[in-house]
Amino acid sequence: MRDSTGTGGTARPSRRTVLATTAGVTAATATTVLTTPTAPARAAAPPAPSPSSARSRPDDGKLRALVSRMTLEEKVGQLFVMRVYGHSATAPDPADAEANLAETGVRSAAELLARYRVGGIVYFNWARNIRDPHQVADLSNGIQRASLALPRGLPVLVSVDQEHGAVARIGAPATLFPGAMALGAGGSRSDAREAARIAGAELRAMGVHQNYAPVADVNVDPANPVIGVRSFGADPRAVADLVAAQAKGYRSAGVAATAKHFPGHGDTDLDSHVDFPTIGHTREEWERLDAPPFRAAVRAGVDSVMTAHLAVPALDPSGDPATLSRPILTGVLRGELGYDGVVVTDSLGMEGVRKKYGDDRVAVLALKAGADQLLNPPSLGIAWHAVLDAVREGELTEARLDESVLRVLRLKRRLGLFERPYTGGADVGRVVGARKHLAAADRIAGRTTTLLADERRLLPLSRRTHRDILVVGADPASPSGTTGPPTTVLADALTELGFTATALSTGTAPAAAAVDRAVAAAGGRDAVVVVTYNITAASAQRTLVERLVATGVPVVAVAVRNPYDVAHLPGVGAFLATYGWTDVEVRAAARVLAGRVGPRGRLPVPVQRADDPAQVLYPVGHGLTY
């Protein structure tokens, strides 16, 4: 946590105090029969319960019998969820086969399953798992065929990190929805649930069963480098409502939702991918700020909870990351929150979990803490053998493994994977990117765009007086599968709405020459729309906007990520926040600019003054309309 004392020694309100006050902070498993599948068509946490106290369910008999027939190696494998390179389960491209050999000593997903009997595989676009929806479905079916062909073969839980917004592994033609903070601006539980239901239906059609969403972190720190717009907002109650809605939406589509990152990653200025953050909340602050969305997720029947690689001394003074903390995972999550579903670690390749212990210890300690699924260790061989050895040497009991294997199998049963492990090509064509899904995404996005400032009553832009528009600014790398870049998408959308719009990309850190070109291009235009992306006090983007405002041409700023940009741009004629830069969010902003729809979004986070962060410029709930 940053020091909340000013340089002059006068006590100032901390960021957490300001934001909490502004936000108004207040504090069925289906029974199926296992069949042989057919081919495709407070100050301190209370004592943690012992592993033997895990709840037993009356319908567990067949699953327990299945576990009893598994070898120790098969049980260990069931607890790992691993990446694998390539578009095919059996015939990856040569470069992907070589990448697999380098990382896991096998050439393909099929060989990975045969050697390690992993219970889950996670898809990434950077691992070249994703080309198009039909290929993803074929990959999923190939993985299931390979696993089920093994002795005592089990269906595989296929997962993906498809939050929408800033994090989307599977892009168009699949439907892409606004991200979490945009949905938070919309404030509609029904929209959040519908987005999850449709997204889940498309994932399931491609053979994906577990999604690492929704984000349940409350974004307390505006400088948070890893969560930000991935959070629904700064008000714990509002976040809790939307997390529960999405958990129910995914569940209704036959996909396991994952509330993350427990016990809360919203108040950190370090990224756990590359560092080891510490959350300085007191126990009371954790209960008030961080816990509500996770409690709501548990009540909503969320199927899995993902851990955070950060320390929370108020919950566990040992200094261990939550992923490896028994007081946090077993004591708080299972004991206090009453959660008995699957606990999945965040990626074990992240520095937040690797700084204190070696890779051989991390997997063992995560299981001892109460985790069930071990996601993406940097070396599967090291982690897999470490768990195996820990059981053989008595550090972990086989009963403890059985407990987690049972939870994983329960989830597979609830998802119907023992009866229906495959997906069909007809489902892909009928469901993924369906016209009604794309229309729903546009409708939902249209309710999220937020008008923060319009002192000169510049908006909506009129085609009579502001027809000729220059669209300039930042063009961050577009999330996968979107048209991009945002300036081009915005200019094209405005042109379709009857304006004459020209795009000129200046980048997220425009050089002086790029600024000069933009200023020159603004001459004679009726208006300039400038796209901003995470502006800071020293940002060259700020210089760009100031130079454009100085031309006298009306300037509208559109923040395509953090709404906090508005605090650095007092001179603009109007300011919109989209909270994301996927096509659906940018097109929605164009409709608002053109007056085809009125701005309906409301800030889900407070925006503080740039010159005095202790003061709030725009509070939660702020939003203009016309």
Side-chain angles (χ1 to χ4, degrees):
M1 295 291 293
R2 290 196 181 96
D3 191 343
S4 59
T5 303
T7 55
T10 302
R12 298 165 62 91
S14 69
R15 174 185 288 106
R16 183 170 62 247
T17 301
V18 171
L19 299 190
T21 302
T22 305
V25 172
T26 57
T29 300
T31 303
T32 58
V33 177
L34 306 186
T35 59
T36 301
T38 57
R42 261 145 262 261
S50 65
S52 61
S53 67
R55 302 183 191 108
S56 181
R57 302 179 185 179
D59 56 349
D60 280 347
K62 289 186 173 64
L63 293 181
R64 291 186 183 278
L66 181 57
V67 174
S68 71
R69 294 193 294 270
M70 295 170 66
T71 66
L72 176 58
E73 290 80 1
E74 289 166 356
K75 292 177 182 180
V76 170
Q78 277 299 297
L79 306 183
F80 282 93
V81 181
M82 191 61 185
R83 66 192 176 278
V84 62
Y85 291 89
H87 71 289
S88 165
T90 56
D93 291 341
D96 292 325
E98 290 300 317
N100 287 326
L101 276 172
E103 288 200 358
T104 55
V106 299
R107 293 181 177 274
S108 66
E111 292 182 13
L112 182 78
L113 289 161
R115 177 173 296 188
Y116 292 106
R117 304 300 291 264
V118 296
I121 287 181
V122 57
Y123 290 166
F124 292 102
N125 41 7
W126 53 259
R128 294 173 290 281
N129 301 138
I130 299 157
R131 292 181 177 177
D132 61 75
H134 284 281
Q135 168 269 320
V136 175
D138 289 343
L139 173 60
S140 299
N141 285 337
I143 286 170
Q144 301 297 354
R145 275 193 298 269
S147 184
L148 292 166
L150 298 169
R152 297 171 301 281
L154 294 170
V156 177
L157 198 60
V158 177
S159 60
V160 73
D161 206 358
Q162 186 81 350
E163 296 173 11
H164 292 265
V167 178
R169 309 298 186 190
I170 303 175
T175 305
L176 291 174
F177 284 91
M181 193 170 285
L183 293 175
S188 169
R189 283 175 287 184
S190 61
D191 280 355
R193 182 168 182 167
E194 182 181 17
R197 179 188 62 79
I198 293 172
E202 296 198 3
L203 289 176
R204 187 65 194 239
M206 291 181 280
V208 178
H209 322 109
Q210 184 179 24
N211 190 18
Y212 298 140
V215 172
D217 304 315
V218 179
N219 198 59
V220 176
D221 188 348
N224 193 319
V226 64
I227 303 301
V229 294
R230 297 168 61 198
S231 164
F232 290 108
D235 184 337
R237 290 185 62 181
V239 173
D241 286 345
L242 297 177
V243 166
Q246 290 227 301
K248 293 173 182 176
Y250 281 114
R251 189 178 183 93
S252 70
V255 167
T258 307
K260 64 185 187 184
H261 308 79
F262 189 81
H265 210 315
D267 193 7
T268 173
D269 56 6
L270 295 178
D271 183 348
S272 54
H273 289 85
V274 296
D275 214 326
F276 181 31
T278 295
I279 300 293
H281 291 179
T282 65
R283 179 61 191 243
E284 185 276 333
E285 287 170 333
W286 179 82
E287 290 281 2
R288 180 166 48 90
L289 294 171
D290 302 291
F294 292 101
R295 292 188 186 277
V298 172
R299 287 195 300 269
V302 74
D303 285 304
S304 51
V305 172
M306 180 177 282
T307 67
H309 301 329
L310 44 75
V312 188
L315 302 183
D316 179 1
S318 72
D320 283 346
T323 297
L324 311 182
S325 168
R326 184 169 174 80
I328 292 176
L329 298 191
T330 301
V332 178
L333 179 56
R334 295 209 189 278
E336 296 182 30
L337 272 61
Y339 179 67
D340 196 37
V342 168
V343 173
V344 54
T345 71
D346 205 343
S347 170
L348 298 183
M350 294 165 59
E351 286 302 308
V353 79
R354 301 176 71 191
K355 283 223 168 189
K356 191 171 180 180
Y357 300 100
D359 292 337
D360 58 334
R361 295 297 300 152
V362 165
V364 174
L365 294 174
L367 292 174
K368 292 178 73 172
D372 303 303
Q373 288 185 304
L374 305 170
L375 175 62
N376 231 8
S379 170
L380 178 58
I382 288 174
W384 189 90
H385 283 100
V387 174
L388 190 66
D389 291 344
V391 178
R392 288 173 172 166
E393 295 168 7
E395 183 179 7
L396 279 170
T397 66
E398 193 162 353
R400 169 65 191 90
L401 253 61
D402 291 353
E403 179 187 346
S404 285
V405 172
L406 182 61
R407 286 197 183 97
V408 172
L409 294 182
R410 280 175 181 163
L411 180 53
K412 293 181 179 182
R413 177 186 61 190
R414 194 198 72 70
L415 296 170
L417 296 184
F418 288 99
E419 294 176 319
R420 300 179 305 280
Y422 301 105
T423 188
D427 291 334
V428 176
R430 177 177 55 84
V431 175
V432 180
R435 183 176 301 176
K436 62 181 180 179
H437 292 174
L438 297 173
D442 278 335
R443 284 196 308 273
I444 291 170
R447 295 189 275 266
T448 65
T449 307
T450 307
L451 177 59
L452 298 181
D454 190 15
E455 293 180 3
R456 302 174 190 175
R457 298 187 179 276
L458 180 59
L459 298 182
L461 296 173
S462 167
R463 285 178 294 173
R464 294 192 305 275
T465 58
H466 299 97
R467 178 179 291 273
D468 188 4
I469 300 174
L470 176 67
V471 181
V472 302
D475 271 333
S478 293
S480 48
T482 60
T483 303
T487 53
T488 300
V489 173
L490 186 54
D492 289 348
L494 287 170
T495 298
E496 290 173 6
L497 293 168
F499 296 85
T500 302
T502 305
L504 175 62
S505 175
T506 51
T508 57
V515 173
D516 290 341
R517 282 195 301 272
V519 170
R525 305 280 182 161
D526 297 324
V528 174
V529 176
V530 57
V531 173
T532 69
Y533 182 93
N534 294 3
I535 289 183
T536 63
S539 173
Q541 293 181 64
R542 185 178 180 181
T543 301
L544 168 68
V545 176
E546 290 172 346
R547 291 276 307 278
L548 289 169
V549 169
T551 66
V553 178
V555 175
V556 181
V558 179
V560 294
R561 186 157 185 160
N562 290 334
Y564 313 116
D565 289 4
V566 68
H568 298 283
L569 304 175
V572 296
F575 189 97
L576 287 176
T578 70
Y579 313 97
W581 63 105
T582 52
D583 295 358
V584 69
E585 292 156 311
V586 174
R587 289 197 307 264
R591 294 194 296 274
V592 171
L593 289 168
R596 294 298 180 91
V597 297
R600 296 177 58 180
R602 296 293 182 267
L603 265 178
V605 293
V607 173
Q608 296 160 270
R609 291 174 58 106
D611 58 349
D612 185 0
Q615 300 298 318
V616 173
L617 180 63
Y618 297 115
V620 169
H622 173 77
L624 306 177
T625 190
Y626 43 79

